Amino acid sequence: MSLPKPVMRGLLARRLRFHLPIAFGLSLFVALGFKYTVTEPRKQAYADFYKNYDAVKEFNAMREAGVFESVQPAGK
């Protein structure tokens, strides 16, 4: 008794009908997960930081610390 021949006609179409929706669903799930676990908290952290950020005060602190070579500390 011999084994039956495998059905090759339409094999790719059948497999795609099964795997394509799963791939799209997983990719959508991962994209939404990344958005709400990484990008939204990062955007909120930037908003919180710049809410009270004073660029002039930060510049003067770095100038006093001698970070900049071309800017003299105040009072000199």
Side-chain angles (χ1 to χ4, degrees):
M1 177 168 195
S2 64
L3 291 174
K5 288 178 130 181
V7 179
M8 301 301 281
R9 186 177 304 274
L11 182 64
L12 177 62
R14 264 192 320 232
R15 289 182 63 84
L16 280 179
R17 242 182 268 125
F18 177 75
H19 288 102
L20 209 55
I22 293 172
F24 277 117
L26 281 175
S27 63
L28 181 65
F29 177 73
V30 169
L32 288 174
F34 185 80
K35 177 180 171 44
Y36 288 111
T37 60
V38 175
T39 59
E40 291 298 324
R42 186 178 293 175
K43 283 176 18 182
Q44 187 61 42
Y46 274 104
D48 293 342
F49 176 78
Y50 283 111
K51 194 180 301 179
N52 299 320
Y53 181 69
D54 185 10
V56 174
K57 183 176 130 188
E58 192 72 27
F59 170 76
N60 287 332
M62 286 191 283
R63 183 176 65 184
E64 293 298 324
V67 173
F68 305 114
E69 294 178 6
S70 62
V71 178
Q72 296 294 323
K76 286 191 177 180

